[in-house]
Structure formats: structure tokens, C-alpha cells
Amino acid sequence: MSINGQAYIVGAYEHPLRKAPDKTIPQLHAEVAAGALADAGLTLADVDGYFTGTDAPGLGSVSMAEYLGLRPRYIDTTSTGGSGYIIAVGHAAAAIAMGKCSVALITLAGRPRTGRELQGEMPFLSDPLIPEVPYEAPFGLNIVNAYALAARRHMHEFGTTSEQLAWVKVAASHHAQHNPHAMLRELVTVEDVLASPMIADPLHKLDCCIVSDGGGALVVVSPEIARSLNRPRVKIRGSGEAYKTLDGGRVDLTYSAAKASGAAAFAEAGVTPADIRYASIYDSFTITVLMQLEDLGFCAKGEGGRFVADGRLISGQGPLAVNTDGGGLCNNHPANRGGMTKVIEAVRQLRGEAHPAVQVPNLSLALAHGTGGFLGTRHIGGTLIMEREA
């Protein structure tokens, strides 16, 4: 069953805070839920489907539904890291298409900047009960060196340079200067990126994403409800999810799960990468963006370095504007899960509500993509294609 045209995004809200030491995670979930529902012109009483991830405390959707006073007839707790909330939109659309719910609320919130998450390694890097940990932890695996492996291999295979990677950060900073809520609004140059401290060769400090508190929420509804609301309608055209493993050591680090998740989303939507002029791409690191653009089909494999260079990702300067809110490299990265904010900015662009300096004119189609896990090890990609409906 296709979800193409079976559901619409009618509400979107990004929490304005980047540091929230005086708020609990449930409070943040409640505030973003209220914001997205108000944007849609709906209330908590209208919600009959609730979707969240393991950033929600307790039993995820179960605990948060009670906290919010919801009475959903369909719930989903999906945890796939940076792709989780992009995948959740696809799951919500599928549930609506099957008649399981008609108003789906999706919430994300976290406090990794000021909360417990900053203490020690993430559990999935060190918990000995996780099957891969005993085989990888002794060798010092962490997030940044897993991405550095992918970056170094890409450089070896295709001649990609650190200067080309740096252009991804430069583009993000050009967009973030127009975002009053962005955590980092200062313009940076390629030279600034290369002069920043080396974290894991070849990735410098400015090649790495920020860590922030905050959150976001979306409201996805049936076509009937969407037409009854006096709100801009963003149609969900296609979604895809795909998993890539290390395959027992037989792994090619030069491509990602986006190759399959993107193909599935484009096929369902009935469009091609050439039809897309705006993309929200999860930017945990600069190499993440470059590889995803290749794997999604915006350029050929190995051509990503040239595709991102010389400001071509800056809105108005190239064929594809990317992360016009500043992305995870400059704007916001709540709960270390960037998928939610990727969808929110795509919705803003389709509604014509992005900052005038970065708004893509007459935009009709947009893509959001996220990667959960590590490019250098196992991960899952989620791709979503959306369309503005007049």
C-alpha cells in the first residue's frame, strides 16, 4: 500500500531554546506538542495517534501519552537515532492510510547539553549486553572516529578533500546567520574549518555537529481533516527506510543506507532527484551530508566533493539548497536526533515560511533525510518526500 497522498503535515513547531537547564524532558515534549497543535489549529483532544522515540522517558509513547493527557488509539515508539523522526512521519502516514488514526502527533525533546546524556559514553557504545559491543568497544569505537573512517575512505577512493568537506559547514553558517534561534550564527570560512582543532583525522571540530537542548513536533492528519483546516497543506508523497550492516566485516564505507531508502522514497513519490530544489540532510558531520547527497542521487558517487564546494549548497547559489535553518552543524540538534528539525525546515520551505534570505522561491517539492547509527558501522536511513498543495 502506498502512502502517496494519504496524509498531510499540517502542524510544525521547533522549540526556541538551545539550553534548557530549568525544564524537564516531559515539559519540553509538552511545549512542542502544544506548539505544533496550535500551528495546525487542533488540540490535544483531537489527537488519536501518538508517535515518539526513546528520547521520551519511561515507556516512551505510553508514558508521554499519559503525561500529555492523550487517549490515542494508535501509538508508536520508534528509535533509530538521527533517522527516527523522519521514519516516524512515514509510519504515521501509513497508520492514517490504514485507518488506525486520523490525527497523529509526533514529538521529540531532549537535554543532551545540560542533562544526564552528557555523562559518559552512550549506552549503545558500552553496554556489554548489546551484541556488537564486546567486539568493538575494546578498539575504542566512538561516534566521531566511526565517521572519520568513512570520510578517510571517501578521500582515498575519490580524492575528496578537507576543503570540500569544509564547504558544508560554510553553507550551514551562511544560513544560520538568518536564524535568530540558531546556536551558532557566526559566518565561517573554509580556512576557519581547517584551522579548527583536529578531532578524528580528517574531521576537524567545525566538521562536527553541535549539541543542544530543545525539541520539535509535527502533526500529520488524514486528507479529510487537512482539507477542513485553514492551514497550508504539505502532502506526504513518499517515504523509505533502509538498513546497512557491517555484513560480518564485508563492508564498503563509501556508501550508506540512503542509497536504498532514497530509491524507495523516490519510487513511491513518482519523482526524481532532479525535481528537488530543497533538501534537509542530517548533518551530524560534514561527511554525512556529502555522502547522503551522492547516495540520494543528487550527484554521482565520488562527485560529492565537487557538488558541495564553492557555496553550491547555499540557498540561491546552487541547484540545491540544503539545511536553510543552519542544520545540526549550526542551528539545533535536540536529543542528538536531527530528523525532526530536518522535516520542520522542509515544511517551512514548502509553506514559504523560511527566512526571506534563504527561502527557495516557488518551491513545490522537498526532501528530508536522516541517518541513525554511524556511517562507519551499522545504521538506518530514512527518507521523506513532501509536496506543497495549493
Side-chain angles (χ1 to χ4, degrees):
M1 179 183 66
S2 173
I3 64 169
N4 190 336
Q6 300 300 305
Y8 290 76
I9 299 172
V10 295
Y13 181 81
E14 179 182 359
H15 205 288
L17 293 183
R18 303 296 180 259
K19 189 174 184 180
D22 60 340
K23 293 182 182 292
T24 67
I25 292 176
Q27 277 180 296
L28 292 170
H29 274 277
E31 290 175 8
V32 297
L37 286 165
D39 183 51
L42 296 167
T43 70
L44 288 168
D46 296 310
V47 175
D48 61 353
Y50 182 51
F51 298 73
T52 190
T54 51
D55 53 276
L59 294 175
S61 296
V62 177
S63 295
M64 284 307 307
E66 181 176 35
Y67 181 84
L68 294 172
L70 301 175
R71 293 187 178 275
R73 56 192 178 100
Y74 192 90
I75 64 169
D76 182 307
T77 302
T78 296
S79 182
T80 61
S83 60
Y85 285 91
I86 292 172
I87 289 174
V89 174
H91 289 184
I96 290 169
M98 291 187 293
K100 300 293 185 181
C101 61
S102 57
V103 177
L105 172 65
I106 309 171
T107 66
L108 156 77
R111 290 180 51 227
R113 187 177 178 193
T114 59
R116 294 179 304 172
E117 294 92 335
L118 287 178
Q119 297 176 7
E121 291 286 352
M122 292 184 179
F124 63 86
L125 287 171
S126 57
D127 187 344
L129 296 179
I130 297 172
E132 65 269 17
V133 164
Y135 303 96
E136 295 176 353
F139 296 96
L141 175 71
N142 62 41
I143 296 173
V144 66
N145 65 31
Y147 280 81
L149 283 172
R152 180 54 70 190
R153 189 65 191 180
H154 203 278
M155 290 176 166
H156 173 76
E157 292 285 346
F158 306 117
T160 308
T161 67
S162 292
E163 288 81 2
Q164 290 170 334
L165 288 180
W167 274 107
V168 177
K169 174 71 173 190
V170 172
S173 75
H174 273 263
H175 294 146
Q177 68 175 320
H178 304 294
N179 182 349
H181 300 302
M183 190 168 162
L184 303 177
R185 298 185 65 193
E186 183 178 349
L187 283 174
V188 300
T189 65
V190 169
E191 292 72 26
D192 292 332
V193 178
L194 300 183
S196 65
M198 185 70 75
I199 303 300
D201 187 20
L203 299 179
H204 297 80
K205 180 179 180 180
L206 293 183
D207 286 300
C208 306
C209 65
I210 60 176
V211 174
S212 73
D213 299 343
L218 296 161
V219 179
V220 183
V221 303
S222 67
E224 296 76 18
I225 291 178
R227 286 191 289 267
S228 74
L229 300 170
N230 186 27
R231 299 296 299 138
R233 296 194 295 273
V234 174
K235 181 192 297 183
I236 297 170
R237 287 285 301 267
S239 71
E241 52 192 89
Y243 185 50
K244 183 186 176 188
T245 73
L246 287 176
D247 193 23
R250 297 177 292 274
V251 62
D252 181 350
L253 291 174
T254 64
Y255 80 94
S256 73
K259 183 177 180 180
S261 68
F266 279 116
E268 185 168 49
V271 299
T272 71
D275 298 313
I276 306 294
R277 294 188 295 123
Y278 173 76
S280 290
I281 306 292
Y282 186 41
D283 49 347
S284 49
F285 300 90
T286 52
I287 185 61
T288 318
V289 174
L290 188 151
M291 286 181 58
Q292 307 310 290
L293 290 171
E294 292 178 341
D295 295 333
L296 290 166
F298 291 108
C299 61
K301 178 54 65 177
E303 294 294 320
R306 284 178 282 276
F307 187 84
V308 305
D310 302 319
R312 286 167 55 83
L313 300 186
I314 300 173
S315 185
Q317 294 193 27
L320 183 72
V322 172
N323 296 345
T324 49
D325 61 341
L329 287 169
C330 293
N331 172 34
N332 195 11
H333 194 201
N336 296 319
R337 287 165 166 82
M340 172 63 77
T341 50
K342 298 298 170 282
V343 180
I344 291 172
E345 182 64 8
V347 169
R348 288 193 194 107
Q349 279 283 350
L350 288 168
R351 290 175 165 183
E353 296 172 354
H355 190 282
V358 301
Q359 175 68 53
V360 177
N362 304 313
L363 185 68
S364 59
L365 288 166
L367 175 146
H369 176 82
T371 298
F374 307 155
L375 287 187
T377 62
R378 63 207 58 78
H379 63 272
I380 182 167
T383 309
L384 186 69
I385 296 173
M386 295 152 280
E387 180 182 29
R388 183 191 70 239
E389 184 171 285

